[in-house]
């Protein structure tokens, strides 16, 4: 396929699911753009946010590592986390490099661009915003919990999430990428603390809702305690639509094979269970259902198989 005719695929999200997806997509004949959450406030990321007033670098770091074609040792170095008992304890080298490059360039997005160039990243990576933002959740009992890392710990059912300070401005390049997309993919990940912060800014929500291309949600395989306990596949989509507008999602990718008993038992210890695939309700929502055996059997924990997912998504472009 010639360079000019390569379709534009935009992946939106954060957390652990997004890098898996990107590793599969990066070698396909597409123009790939990742729009990444910057609302994380835990660990190394949280300390750098507080000390340097920059957007959260952690999810960006993992996306850079996923899309990098650098030597494996260099990527390992980038992902290295210090565990010595001193001022560096708990910090990831990649987070420190992103903070340093942001300081050198005077801009978080420019810092990402320069690190991406050094690490030979395939595709474009944009933070959803250059702003240092915070995530809050309104629970069904009316209480407000502030901070991305604290929301799942409240063990209350989430009604909605929102960002501060208002207005949070999205990166213009992020909006432009969505407007020019031939396929928009909402990555798997923590629904309220990784996915929502990336899509709920008004201009981003508007771009997804009014997209001329197909918007596909890759559904989580397991529920997550404190966020999606008891959620079915349709509940995940409904939560997205409640935040950015009805009929914002056109299709859903779901895993259609049983989860092994030993793995189910391991996740049960974390109060997580397989996401129920409620086909009739999904069809009633007007969703195209794309199903397959999309789990990587070589992994000790449940991870999407990046090549299987990439193949499914690429087949949508061919149609």
């Amino acid at each position: 396929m010639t360079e000019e005719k390569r379709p534009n695929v935009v992946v939106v999200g954060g957390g652990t699911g997004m890098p898996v997806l990107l590793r599969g997509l990066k070698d396909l004949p597409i123009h790939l753009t990742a729009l990444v959450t910057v609302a994380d406030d835990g660990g190394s990321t949280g300390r750098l946010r507080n000390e340097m007033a920059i957007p959260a670098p952690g999810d960006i770091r993992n996306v850079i590592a996923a899309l990098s074609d650098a030597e494996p040792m260099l990527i390992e170095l980038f992902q290295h986390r210090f565990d010595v008992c001193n001022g560096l304890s708990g910090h990831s080298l990649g987070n420190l490099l992103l903070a340093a490059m942001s300081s050198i360039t005077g801009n978080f997005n420019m810092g990402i661009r320069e690190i991406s160039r050094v690490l030979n990243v395939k595709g474009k990576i944009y933070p959803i915003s250059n702003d240092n933002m915070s995530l809050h959740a309104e629970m069904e009992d009316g209480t407000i919990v502030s901070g991305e890392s604290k929301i799942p710990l409240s063990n209350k059912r989430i009604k909605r999430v929102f960002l501060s300070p208002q207005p949070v401005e999205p990166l213009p390049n992020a909006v432009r990428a969505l407007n020019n997309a031939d396929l928009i993919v909402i990555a798997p990940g923590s629904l309220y603390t990784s996915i929502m912060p990336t899509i709920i800014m008004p201009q981003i929500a508007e771009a997804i809702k009014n997209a001329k291309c197909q918007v596909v949600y890759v559904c989580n395989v397991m529920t997550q305690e404190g966020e999606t306990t008891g959620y079915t596949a349709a509940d995940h989509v409904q939560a997205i639509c409640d935040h950015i507008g009805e009929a914002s999602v056109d299709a859903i990718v779901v895993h259609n094979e049983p989860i092994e008993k030993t793995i189910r038992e391991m996740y049960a210890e974390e109060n997580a269970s397989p996401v129920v695939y409620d086909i009739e309700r999904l069809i009633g929502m007007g969703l195209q259902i794309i199903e397959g055996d999309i789990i990587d059997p070589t992994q000790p924990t449940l991870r999407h198989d990046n090549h299987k997912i990439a193949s499914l998504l690429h087949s949508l472009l061919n149609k």
Side-chain angles (χ1 to χ4, degrees):
M1 195 176 291
T2 63
E3 194 70 15
E4 295 75 28
K5 292 197 176 156
R6 291 188 170 200
N8 296 312
V9 176
V10 180
V11 181
V12 188
T16 56
M18 189 177 192
V20 174
L21 203 62
L22 294 171
R23 279 190 199 97
L25 290 170
K26 76 175 182 179
D27 292 321
L28 294 179
I30 58 175
H31 291 297
L32 182 59
T33 303
L35 308 183
V36 191
T37 180
V38 287
D40 186 11
D41 63 358
S44 165
T45 281
R47 286 160 62 196
L48 288 171
R49 282 188 61 176
N50 293 335
E51 290 164 17
M52 297 191 64
I54 60 169
D59 289 277
I60 295 277
R61 183 193 82 244
N62 289 327
V63 166
I64 289 172
L67 290 179
S68 171
D69 262 354
E71 290 291 326
M73 182 56 76
L74 193 55
I75 299 170
E76 192 177 332
L77 182 66
F78 184 68
Q79 289 286 59
H80 176 72
R81 192 175 294 278
F82 296 96
D83 56 7
V84 290
C85 297
N86 60 28
L88 288 176
S89 180
H91 272 309
S92 153
L93 181 60
N95 287 355
L96 295 172
L97 287 170
L98 280 163
M101 195 62 89
S102 299
S103 184
I104 290 166
T105 61
N107 177 294
F108 186 59
N109 180 45
M110 285 297 293
I112 294 165
R113 191 182 303 177
E114 288 304 305
I115 293 275
S116 296
R117 189 175 58 78
V118 170
L119 288 179
N120 195 23
V121 159
K122 294 178 85 169
K124 292 177 180 159
I125 301 169
Y126 296 126
I128 204 67
S129 173
N130 257 330
D131 294 347
N132 186 4
M133 65 176 77
S134 295
L135 184 69
H136 312 271
E138 180 188 350
M139 302 301 176
E140 287 195 344
D141 66 0
T143 56
I144 304 289
V145 178
S146 296
E148 180 267 353
S149 60
K150 295 183 181 70
I151 290 168
L153 303 178
S154 68
N155 276 324
K156 295 180 178 180
R157 206 163 168 86
I158 298 167
K159 182 180 177 185
R160 69 180 184 108
V161 291
F162 59 97
L163 297 165
S164 73
Q166 288 292 345
V168 177
E169 292 296 330
L171 202 71
N173 280 344
V175 179
R176 200 171 299 120
L178 290 167
N179 289 337
N180 294 331
D182 295 303
L183 181 69
I184 295 170
V185 182
I186 300 175
S190 299
L191 183 63
Y192 288 102
T193 55
S194 291
I195 307 305
M196 295 302 186
T198 331
I199 64 176
I200 58 177
M201 276 174 256
Q203 297 99 311
I204 297 293
E206 208 61 30
I208 293 173
K209 195 167 61 175
N210 297 329
K212 297 181 181 69
C213 66
Q214 201 170 25
V215 177
V216 184
Y217 169 52
V218 180
C219 191
N220 293 338
V221 178
M222 302 296 283
T223 62
Q224 184 176 352
E225 185 181 21
E227 290 204 35
T228 56
T229 302
Y231 272 41
T232 65
D235 289 331
H236 282 74
V237 177
Q238 191 58 57
I240 292 169
C241 293
D242 287 346
H243 279 76
I244 67 172
E246 286 301 324
S248 299
V249 178
D250 303 304
I252 183 169
V253 176
V254 291
H255 178 64
N256 66 353
E257 292 294 321
I259 308 294
E260 284 183 24
K261 187 180 178 212
T262 50
I263 294 178
R264 286 203 319 272
E265 287 170 351
M266 181 178 71
Y267 274 89
E269 291 174 14
E270 301 171 12
N271 292 322
S273 56
V275 171
V276 174
Y277 163 38
D278 44 352
I279 183 166
E280 288 183 13
R281 194 168 150 218
L282 291 168
I283 292 170
M285 295 168 81
L287 292 165
Q288 177 189 352
I289 299 164
I290 304 147
E291 52 182 319
D293 180 4
I294 53 175
I295 296 303
D296 184 348
T298 66
Q299 297 296 320
T301 56
L302 284 176
R303 288 281 178 267
H304 285 97
D305 184 303
N306 49 35
H307 296 298
K308 288 178 183 174
I309 288 278
S311 177
L312 278 178
L313 294 171
H314 196 238
S315 69
L316 296 178
L317 287 166
N318 294 335
K319 287 175 187 173

